[in-house]
Each structure stands twice: as C-alpha cells, then as structure tokens.
Amino acid sequence: MALDFFAGCAGGAAGVLVGHPFDTVKVRLQVQSVSNPKYRGTIHCFQSIIKQESTLGLYKGIGSPMMGLTFINALVFGVQGNTLRYLGKDTPLNQFLAGAAAGSIQCVICCPMELAKTRMQLQGTGEYKSRSKTYKNSLDCMVKIYRKEGVRGINRGMVTTFLRETPSFGFYFLTYDYLTRYLGCEINDTFIIPKLLFAGGMSGIVSWLSTYPIDVIKSRLQADGIGGVNNYNGIMDCVRKSYKEEGWRVFSRGLTSTLLRAFPVNAATFATVTLFLMYMRGENDISECDAGPAIQQPTSM
C-alpha cells in the first residue's frame, strides 16, 4: 500500500510538471475580459506569456498543486478503493460511484489549493518581472487570503469545485475501467503500457468534457476580488453575467488548452507510476504492477 501510494505521488508530480503550463493558459483565457482581451487564443496566450514573462511565467502557481498533491492522492486512493470494496461488486455503476465519492471528499484540499494556484497564475500578468508581488508563493497566498477573508475566503469556489469534481472523477474512473476492459489489458501483454497510457489519457479528456463549463465558473469566482473589486455575488450571478456579456461560448473558453493538457498529463502520470512500480517490485513481480491505485483498480484489468 505504501509503495502504491508513493508511486501515485510520483506519477501525480510528473503530471503536474507536464500539465501546469497548459493550466496557466487555461486560467488566463477563462478570466480575461471580453471587452479588452489580452489573448486571441491558446497559441497566442502561450506566445505572449513566454515573451512577456519568460518560460517561468507558465509555471506560476505550481507550488500550490505540488504541496497539495500528497494529501489529495491519499484521499483519492483511500476513498475510491474503500468505496469500491464497500459496494462489493466491480460494476460500471460502482466504479462511477466510487470515483464520485473520491472526487467529492478531496474537494476539501483541492479548493484552497486551486484558489492559491489561480491567484498566483494571474499575478503579474504581462510583466517579465512583477514590480509589486502581492503573494511571495502559494503558501503566502493562502495565509494572506485567510487573514483577510477568513475560512470563507480560503474556501472560495468550494461549491463549484464540488459540482465539478464529483461527477468528473466518476466519469474518469468509469471511462478508464471501460477502456482497459475493451482494450484487453493483460499483465503479460507486450503493449500493456501504451494501452494504459491511452486509457488514462482518454479518461482525462472525458472527465474534463463532462464538467468543463463548471470549471469556467469556478475559475471566475476564485479570480474575483483581485484588485479589490468583486464582480459576482455568487454562482448564478456569475453564470448570468458571463452569459449575458459573452454568450454560450464563455463556457468553453480555454477548452483547447485544457484538452491539450489532459492527455499528456494522464499519460505522464500512468508512465511514471507504472515504471516506478516495475522498478521497485522487480520484473519478476510485474503481475502486481497495475499502473497504480491512484488511476484504476486492479480489478479493471
């Protein structure tokens, strides 16, 4: 169990390193003003950040997801696995319910973590070196938000995070379970790793597509208040104002960078977890290497 846990953490860290630049672009596109947009699209956003803020600008706010990684993985591993065992049978419905349970529980850590990440990603937009930094790092960001707004402030966006994560994790585990069965992932299969990578990458894409409009609202609510100005009074107010100003397209803003991120992030996670377990357990014990409990249950094989 400990080995699986550390393998999942290593895989998650690899996923964060690969996917964070895409996440930065996604957040910038989601929250930019429609009346005075800074970026024309995904590629232009990438180019602008690198030109104006250097490559490091793409990694703003990475400390927050890295800090929360271990705790989130611990919750996801434990809740998803125990829920599936409690439900008894490994059925598609139970896979969805177990994943949904894991997604809902980890919101407690995920929401504050993403709040700090979002604030850090938007800090110093368009500046090579921020002249005046409100936050030194992700931890300093969370501390200052807590001191200024209390528990409610640090949990800004909690409801939208819950609405996003619960079904998203359900679809993630359900899709992965279906694909691994459909592709016939067998332990001795020569192509097991490419199959697992494909299954994981596609699962990530499906999970994002299932709840992406909610993610747009979450990002806007968590970015609201920067500069001391609050534009939204709540979830529905944010939905109404966003739709009124930009139409239905607002709910897909940043989707391209998100989908570009989803596949390689999950691919990196799968590859790292699988290779970690293969190396630690040895080639003779490859039958136990199921690509990691963070990503799927052994029964999916």
Side-chain angles (χ1 to χ4, degrees):
M1 290 295 293
L3 189 60
D4 288 336
F5 173 76
F6 286 116
C9 289
V16 171
L17 289 172
V18 171
H20 195 77
F22 293 96
D23 188 72
T24 299
V25 171
K26 181 204 74 169
V27 171
R28 294 281 182 95
L29 291 173
Q30 285 180 334
V31 303
Q32 72 174 344
S33 171
V34 65
S35 59
N36 186 29
K38 294 179 179 292
Y39 313 111
R40 294 191 297 270
T42 301
I43 302 300
H44 182 247
C45 186
F46 265 110
Q47 293 173 336
S48 298
I49 293 174
I50 294 174
K51 182 179 180 180
Q52 298 170 356
E53 305 171 44
S54 80
T55 304
L56 295 178
L58 294 170
Y59 285 91
K60 284 184 176 180
I62 195 172
S64 181
M66 280 296 186
M67 283 193 300
L69 181 66
T70 301
F71 301 103
I72 288 178
N73 279 348
L75 285 173
V76 171
F77 299 170
V79 174
Q80 200 270 348
N82 284 311
T83 301
L84 194 60
R85 283 190 289 271
Y86 175 79
L87 294 172
K89 295 182 179 180
D90 182 8
T91 64
L93 176 60
N94 287 347
Q95 283 283 349
F96 179 87
L97 293 175
S104 63
I105 295 297
Q106 59 93 41
C107 289
V108 177
I109 297 174
C110 178
C111 180
M113 181 196 76
E114 292 201 353
L115 173 65
K117 174 184 68 67
T118 299
R119 295 292 177 92
M120 290 294 295
Q121 287 173 325
L122 297 175
Q123 181 173 252
T125 300
E127 298 179 6
Y128 183 75
K129 287 186 178 181
S130 300
R131 298 172 183 174
S132 59
K133 291 186 176 180
T134 304
Y135 313 114
K136 297 177 182 178
N137 49 52
S138 297
L139 182 60
D140 180 59
C141 178
M142 286 191 281
V143 171
K144 286 183 176 178
I145 292 174
Y146 176 76
R147 288 176 177 174
K148 184 178 180 180
E149 305 176 46
V151 176
R152 184 174 182 179
I154 207 70
N155 287 297
R156 181 190 291 262
M158 178 63 76
V159 175
T160 47
T161 301
F162 177 83
L163 293 175
R164 183 195 69 179
E165 297 292 85
T166 301
S168 177
F169 268 79
F171 282 115
Y172 182 87
F173 282 99
L174 174 62
T175 303
Y176 182 80
D177 179 67
Y178 172 78
L179 288 176
T180 51
R181 293 177 188 274
Y182 178 79
L183 294 172
C185 293
E186 301 293 340
I187 298 301
N188 297 322
D189 188 347
T190 305
F191 301 102
I192 185 172
I193 293 180
K195 288 180 178 180
L196 292 176
L197 293 176
F198 176 77
M202 292 306 297
S203 298
I205 289 176
V206 170
S207 66
W208 271 109
L209 287 173
S210 67
T211 58
Y212 190 77
I214 300 175
D215 184 67
V216 174
I217 299 304
K218 181 198 72 71
S219 293
R220 293 197 162 203
L221 289 174
Q222 291 187 327
D224 194 35
I226 294 179
V229 180
N230 289 291
N231 297 314
Y232 310 116
N233 294 321
I235 297 174
M236 294 309 299
D237 183 54
C238 181
V239 172
R240 283 193 296 267
K241 287 182 178 178
S242 297
Y243 178 76
K244 183 179 180 180
E245 293 175 3
E246 305 173 52
W248 64 269
R249 291 180 182 275
V250 67
F251 301 113
S252 62
R253 180 178 287 188
L255 180 60
T256 301
S257 61
T258 300
L259 296 183
L260 287 174
R261 167 181 175 264
F263 197 97
V265 163
N266 285 279
T269 302
F270 268 73
T272 303
V273 172
T274 303
L275 293 175
F276 181 91
L277 291 176
M278 289 176 65
Y279 175 78
M280 295 300 293
R281 290 172 173 169
E283 293 182 1
N284 294 329
D285 199 22
I286 193 172
S287 61
E288 295 183 22
C289 187
D290 297 312
I295 305 163
Q296 89 296 322
Q297 296 301 304
T299 48
S300 297
M301 299 305 187

